[in-house]
Amino acid sequence: MTATLSYQVHRAGPLFGAEISDIDLTQPVDDETRASLRREFDEHKVLVFRGANLSPAQQVEAVRIFDEPFDHPTAIRHDEHPLVYPYNVQSTGKASSWHIGGVWRTPPFSIESLVYEEVSELGGHTLWADLQAAYDDLSEPVKVLLDGVSAVYDSNAVHYAQGAERGEVKQTVAHPVVRQDRNGRKGLFISTGARHLEGVTAGESKALLPFLLEHASSPNYTIRFGWSAGDFVLWNNLATWHYAIDDYGVGPRRYRKVLAAAPEV
């Protein structure tokens, strides 16, 4: 059986985000449907497939519809597939801050995806913010200023593995704080892990970086999803950032992650 172009799209908000229903990603997807789903991803940036119930190998193939899965050099791998990375927050810790994945490399991850295996009965929602919409609302003088500014991050991949302890930062990488997608649309590109800004003075960095982080995380640019076991979500990691809300105490949260990224430059 092959999944064909019969799915439904349910928008999550006026800016971005959508749930896709009436498609079975456990089955091969035909070329027309693959192309259509890629267009949905470009438009909506965050796609949720409720009750997809993907195996590790099926999750990899689902991500492959949109981009090539990434072989993380330091992540702990799933027993059933080397491109799948298991997380259990009770041992790996929670990611309860606004962030973008893969800022340790150039380019960062293009896509992150999760399949939820166990979640708390209440709470544990995830927020995404549209970094392109946040950029659109900046004044023209600030947009001109930011074209020459980069944010500096820890570039040690070991520090980003499941449950890793962040050691001393001995090497860094810089990413422009304005990023343009393949369709020409610009967006902010900033993560909480930014150490400082380059292209401005130290004093200007101390003033500008907190402003950018606060602006990009405004509720005006966000959507919110809650989860059930079996749900599959993937998002454009170069045009959004996300926040896993820590309101479920010691409750369970297990999921599998598959990433995508272009070759490092």
Side-chain angles (χ1 to χ4, degrees), residues 11 14 46 70 133 158 188 258:
R11 296 185 66 90
V46 180
F70 175 65
V158 173
L188 287 176
V258 174

Side-chain angles (χ1 to χ4, degrees), residues 121-186:
E121 182 177 352
L122 297 173
H125 291 194
T126 306
L127 301 173
W128 277 268
D130 185 339
L131 293 174
Q132 294 176 332
Y135 175 82
D136 290 343
D137 282 350
L138 294 172
S139 68
E140 288 304 316
V142 171
K143 290 178 180 178
V144 171
L145 168 65
L146 293 181
D147 274 341
V149 176
S150 295
V152 176
Y153 301 91
D154 179 2
S155 64
N156 188 342
V158 173
H159 292 165
Y160 295 86
Q162 300 96 305
E165 293 290 334
R166 291 291 181 95
E168 180 183 357
V169 177
K170 297 182 179 179
Q171 55 194 38
T172 59
V173 62
H175 297 295
V177 299
V178 176
R179 189 177 193 94
Q180 184 170 297
D181 68 19
R182 62 175 176 261
N183 298 317
R185 187 175 180 189
K186 290 184 176 182

Side-chain angles (χ1 to χ4, degrees), residues 38-78:
R38 287 194 290 269
R39 290 192 294 270
E40 304 292 358
F41 186 66
D42 285 346
E43 177 181 356
H44 299 295
K45 305 171 192 172
V46 180
L47 298 182
V48 173
F49 300 80
R50 297 293 187 186
N53 294 310
L54 303 179
S55 69
Q58 289 166 346
Q59 184 181 359
V60 172
E61 291 307 309
V63 171
R64 190 167 273 132
I65 294 171
F66 304 92
D67 203 350
E68 188 60 28
F70 175 65
D71 188 356
H72 198 297
T74 62
I76 298 170
R77 301 172 189 274
H78 197 282

Side-chain angles (χ1 to χ4, degrees), residues 244-263:
I245 300 172
D246 180 10
D247 61 354
Y248 55 97
V250 296
R253 191 178 184 89
R254 292 189 301 110
Y255 55 86
R256 290 184 262 111
K257 181 179 289 188
V258 174
L259 309 164

